[in-house]
Amino acid sequence: MSAAGSLLAVVPAASVLLLTVALRSRAVDAVAPLRLAVVRSVLLTGVYAVLVVELLGALHALTRSTFAAAWLLFLAAAATAAGLRQRSSRPAPPSAATPRPVPVGAVVGGSPETPEPVATSSGPAPTRTSRAPSGLLAVAVDTWRTAGRGERLLVGTIAGLVLVELLVALLAEPNNFDSQTYHLPKVEHWVAQGDLDFWPTAIHRQVTIPPGAEYLLLHLRLLTGGDQLHNLVQWAAGVVCLLVAARITAQLGGGRRAQLLTAFVLATTPMVVLQATSTQTDLVCAAWVTCAATLVLDGLRRRTGWGTLLGLGAATGLTAVTKTSGLIAVGPLLVLWGLAQLRLSLAAKAATSGTAATAATPGTAATAATPGTAANPVTPGTGANAVTPGTGASAATGGDRRPRPIGGVVRTVGGSVLILLVAAVVVGPFLARVTAEFGHPLGPPRLRESIPMERHDPQSILVNALRIAHTAFDTPVAPLRRAGAELIIDGAGVIGVDPQDRAITFGREIFPEPAWYPDEDRVAFPLTGALALIGAVVALARPRRIDSEQAGPLRAYAVVVLAAVLLHTSMIKWQPWGNRLILYAVVLAVPLAGLWVDALLRRRGANSTRRSVATLAVVTVLATSALAGVLALSYGFPRRLVGSGSVFTTSDWDTRFLRRPQWADEFRWAAAAVRASDARRIGLVQQNDNWEYPWWLLLRQPDGGSPELVALQSVLPERPPADPSSVDAIVCTGSRPACTKLVPAGWRLEFRGYVGYALPPAR
């Protein structure tokens, strides 16, 4: 990567930081305003990145110069916005007319002195007035200064894991299996073509799978000229997941310790650890889903403003364009948002008719929300009610504090339409191309039938859910794994369901499949899953055990999480690598785990022996979770710190082939022969799950330009393959008989294991 490429790669990150400054909430009752600003900035940046690709692709201008110009323009806009925000945030100079300080506990809009919560390990504490931290560093220093020993240990573990993951992400070459097959070849085709038009290919996933994460990779590919920074997309998504999950915990009433516990449990989840250094797409999807979730929770207590509506639309669209399975969670979240907004409207109507306390009566207890869903505007972790002066309701109506129930309903309907319109702007162009190509927005029949469930009777859904749970909760204890699998298989026979039925099982896979070992595509999450499941059940059945003032939001959020899991198990077939497909739901559920563990630690009603046992159990589980995360980072596959295949001792090329070491020399051998022949136009022969990406690396032009690779097979009816006689050479992977059928008569065909090549007599 050149020096210019390094500098250009910094521009997107700098833009996000500047937007975080510019988009920080002005509301004094905003929960975790800095993390909210991060959510806003990453959503805005994500939408911009997608729309830049779509616009420049339509103009056939996917080049380094156009992308550099687009990002420099975005950086300038972000810097201008941040500067304007900083200027508007400066306190007015003192004068004789300056009013006396407002007493502690009052809402001071725009004053440099704001009520600041004193967070403790046991939850929110009384409010004190202090100078607000001036930035992220000040917040971090203040948090560390006031943290206890246990909280510092949690912070240290989280930070250590994140930083080491960053190191691995920078050192390791992309070596994810799916990335070799279709994620990264997709990017290279765009670069070679200069546009987003579909191309003939034998690997339909290169054109049918949503490309949102690959759009982000395309930016790095064009800015840097290579794939050295590709792993950083998932790493950044993992950091966003940690920050937003902690904010969700705060929105549900969790104090600092609960938020740290949430981040700790998520950060030590092996699947998160391994994917954070990968070019997979699951963490990117999870990040967009959690952004939607945190914005929805803001809408439980206040009327949603236009900015948040745009954010919800952006999160929905980014989820859809990245991984459509994420919509399984976004859908219930948006339903919750709509119901909450309608409830606020009805509560406002009740207030105007005299069935609730009026806004003009100070100290009234009745609010627009149900008990536990709203509180005093200055209480940390809560939102404003719909009828109290200075709350989010008045802000949302432009300062008019008179409730407008009919207008509220219209606003909710209009807001829903706006969310869908914004989402359509983001994902619409891709869906339009897919529809034009295959006649259906979800792609060809083979895609629509391979992953989604084809049977929806209760018995089949139950068996599918049990198999998914068995794989997700897998452990190294082999007898336990076998006993669980046998119980599921025998039970399926009793209710008349074949546990290997192709209608509920992906491809030719056979249940059960071990998933306990730290592999990025399969690794189970028994500890995280168990904690999340317990937290969800408690939040649903006994929410007051977690927080008596947040019973309503806790129960509603738990319903959404459980609904997402149930929908996933009824819509997605079991597959050995299904654990990564449900990662978005795991990230959503972890805040409930953090809240429940924190509530368990601060229970005061139990006797000392019971408290000691509970504390010991929690410490043991957290220590085991930390050990699992460290082991996944140290020995995980296919990127690890120590042992065979270490990122410190393995060459760049061999790192790419850790999944299939025997193929490394074979690809080099074939590519060397083709290069020696001076071939310019090269034909590809491959099957649906073969590796294509190594050819793009090995056959690049001397000046670094993309090789001219054309497919000699195509699964796209409207995209015929190239004529074998029109190419200068042929490279093959997988099947020698399939390659032989396409090699013209008289050509010399050489094959070595997995890889082969063919050259005409003249070469």
Side-chain angles (χ1 to χ4, degrees):
M1 181 170 60
S2 65
S6 301
L7 291 175
L8 287 174
V10 174
V11 174
S15 301
V16 171
L17 293 177
L18 289 169
L19 285 176
T20 300
V21 174
L23 298 176
R24 188 159 182 175
S25 176
R26 297 177 184 272
V28 295
D29 64 335
V31 179
L34 185 57
R35 277 169 277 172
L36 176 58
V38 170
V39 170
R40 292 170 173 174
S41 64
V42 297
L43 287 175
L44 179 57
T45 305
V47 169
Y48 181 78
V50 169
L51 295 183
V52 163
V53 172
E54 292 288 358
L55 176 60
L56 295 181
L59 298 175
H60 305 281
L62 298 181
T63 65
R64 185 180 190 183
S65 58
T66 57
F67 272 62
W71 277 110
L72 291 174
L73 178 64
F74 190 67
L75 178 65
T80 301
L84 293 175
R85 175 59 192 273
Q86 288 293 87
R87 185 179 305 172
S88 65
S89 299
R90 292 174 184 171
S95 65
T98 300
R100 298 179 62 182
V102 180
V104 174
V107 179
V108 189
S111 168
E113 295 244 326
T114 60
E116 178 184 295
V118 184
T120 65
S121 61
S122 59
T127 304
R128 62 181 172 87
T129 301
S130 65
R131 181 73 59 177
S134 59
L136 179 60
L137 180 60
V139 172
V141 170
D142 183 68
T143 300
W144 184 262
R145 179 175 53 83
T146 59
R149 183 178 302 175
E151 293 175 340
R152 291 185 178 184
L153 182 60
L154 293 175
V155 172
T157 304
I158 296 166
L161 286 171
V162 169
L163 291 176
V164 177
E165 288 164 6
L166 174 60
L167 177 65
V168 174
L170 290 171
L171 292 178
E173 303 295 321
N175 60 1
N176 173 263
F177 194 103
D178 284 348
S179 296
Q180 307 283 359
T181 300
Y182 68 96
H183 290 310
L184 300 185
K186 186 185 301 186
V187 174
E188 295 301 325
H189 277 287
W190 293 332
V191 174
Q193 296 177 173
D195 58 40
L196 301 175
D197 290 345
F198 291 164
W199 53 90
T201 178
I203 304 173
H204 76 87
R205 291 176 293 174
Q206 291 183 357
V207 297
T208 57
I209 299 293
E214 291 90 339
Y215 281 174
L216 303 181
L217 293 177
L218 176 62
H219 286 271
L220 291 178
R221 168 66 176 85
L222 287 172
L223 293 176
T224 66
D227 61 9
Q228 297 90 340
L229 301 182
H230 278 10
N231 293 330
L232 293 186
V233 171
Q234 281 262 107
W235 178 83
V239 173
V240 171
C241 287
L242 294 178
L243 294 174
V244 181
R247 183 174 191 263
I248 290 173
T249 305
Q251 290 173 289
L252 295 174
R256 184 170 63 194
R257 185 175 65 186
Q259 297 171 49
L260 289 175
L261 286 168
T262 294
F264 177 86
V265 171
L266 186 57
T268 56
T269 301
M271 179 65 76
V272 174
V273 171
L274 293 169
Q275 288 233 3
T277 62
S278 170
T279 47
Q280 264 293 7
T281 62
D282 304 286
L283 271 178
V284 178
C285 174
W288 302 136
V289 171
T290 52
C291 286
T294 195
L295 295 179
V296 165
L297 288 179
D298 279 339
L300 296 187
R301 302 180 178 91
R302 67 180 62 164
R303 303 287 181 85
T304 300
W306 296 113
T308 302
L309 289 173
L310 294 174
L312 284 171
T316 303
L318 290 169
T319 301
V321 81
T322 300
K323 213 174 187 71
T324 51
S325 57
L327 295 177
I328 295 174
V330 173
L333 284 167
L334 292 180
V335 171
L336 174 62
W337 170 84
L339 293 175
Q341 293 295 294
L342 290 175
R343 179 184 55 80
L344 289 174
S345 299
L346 294 176
K349 180 178 180 180
T352 58
S353 62
T355 58
T358 62
T361 305
T364 55
T367 66
T370 55
T373 62
N376 186 294
V378 297
T379 302
T382 65
N385 59 61
V387 294
T388 304
T391 65
S394 61
T397 55
D400 184 359
R401 296 172 182 171
R402 293 175 298 172
R404 297 178 179 178
I406 296 178
V409 174
V410 173
R411 182 186 181 90
T412 301
V413 175
S416 302
V417 173
L418 178 61
I419 290 171
L420 296 178
L421 287 176
V422 173
V425 169
V426 177
V427 72
F430 169 70
L431 293 182
R433 289 193 298 273
V434 173
T435 303
E437 190 73 30
F438 301 104
H440 195 287
L442 297 181
R446 66 181 302 178
L447 177 63
R448 303 198 304 270
E449 296 169 2
S450 61
I451 297 177
M453 288 274 286
E454 298 177 77
R455 291 180 55 179
H456 297 92
D457 54 286
Q459 298 93 323
S460 297
I461 293 174
L462 175 61
V463 172
N464 193 56
L466 291 175
R467 294 182 305 165
I468 290 175
H470 180 274
T471 305
F473 287 87
D474 192 18
T475 70
V477 184
L480 181 61
R481 181 189 316 119
R482 287 195 298 268
E486 290 172 0
L487 185 62
I488 293 172
I489 293 173
D490 293 342
V494 170
I495 61 177
V497 177
D498 178 4
Q500 315 301 346
D501 185 354
R502 297 303 102 189
I504 62 173
T505 305
F506 180 85
R508 301 179 181 178
E509 305 301 327
I510 301 296
F511 173 82
E513 183 74 22
W516 60 267
Y517 53 94
D519 183 293
E520 67 174 354
D521 289 333
R522 303 183 181 223
V523 63
F525 31 80
L527 290 175
T528 302
L531 291 174
L533 179 60
I534 294 172
V537 171
V538 174
L540 185 65
R542 306 291 293 274
R544 295 186 184 278
R545 286 195 172 187
I546 296 177
D547 192 328
S548 60
E549 296 183 357
Q550 297 288 334
L554 279 167
R555 182 174 283 124
Y557 189 76
V559 167
V560 168
V561 170
L562 292 176
V565 173
L566 292 176
L567 287 172
H568 184 98
T569 57
S570 64
M571 297 174 67
I572 306 297
K573 294 177 179 177
W574 175 88
Q575 47 196 287
W577 44 88
N579 287 342
R580 67 177 180 81
L581 300 184
I582 203 169
L583 184 59
Y584 68 90
V586 174
V587 177
L588 273 187
V590 166
L592 298 174
L595 288 162
W596 174 71
V597 172
D598 179 66
L600 194 64
L601 291 174
R602 57 183 167 83
R603 285 185 64 184
R604 293 181 171 83
N607 58 47
S608 58
T609 302
R610 190 174 299 176
R611 284 201 305 270
S612 299
V613 171
T615 302
L616 179 61
V618 167
V619 171
T620 302
V621 170
L622 294 180
T624 306
S625 181
L627 178 61
V630 171
L631 290 176
L633 188 57
S634 301
Y635 296 97
F637 194 74
R639 293 166 301 281
R640 56 178 53 170
L641 291 173
V642 298
S644 176
S646 167
V647 295
F648 297 115
T649 59
T650 308
S651 68
D652 293 348
W653 186 251
D654 289 336
T655 298
R656 296 180 185 276
F657 286 86
L658 284 175
R659 284 283 187 190
R660 299 292 187 270
Q662 67 274 20
W663 295 350
D665 291 337
E666 295 176 7
F667 270 97
R668 274 181 162 170
W669 161 76
V674 171
R675 287 198 308 269
S677 71
D678 292 327
R680 291 292 178 264
R681 182 176 167 87
I682 303 164
L684 288 174
V685 179
Q686 54 196 0
Q687 286 73 57
N688 184 57
D689 207 29
N690 289 174
W691 285 19
E692 179 183 313
Y693 185 59
W695 299 127
W696 290 96
L697 299 174
L698 291 168
L699 299 175
R700 279 189 179 176
Q701 302 293 339
D703 61 356
S706 298
E708 186 180 359
L709 297 178
V710 295
L712 302 184
Q713 310 139 289
S714 179
V715 294
L716 278 66
E718 303 299 324
R719 309 277 174 172
D723 187 338
S725 63
S726 69
V727 300
D728 303 323
I730 296 175
V731 291
C732 310
T733 51
S735 170
R736 177 168 185 157
C739 186
T740 302
K741 291 179 181 178
L742 292 169
V743 173
W747 284 38
R748 175 170 56 92
L749 173 62
E750 300 285 344
F751 227 92
R752 184 182 292 180
Y754 178 76
V755 178
Y757 70 90
L759 295 172
R763 295 181 183 272

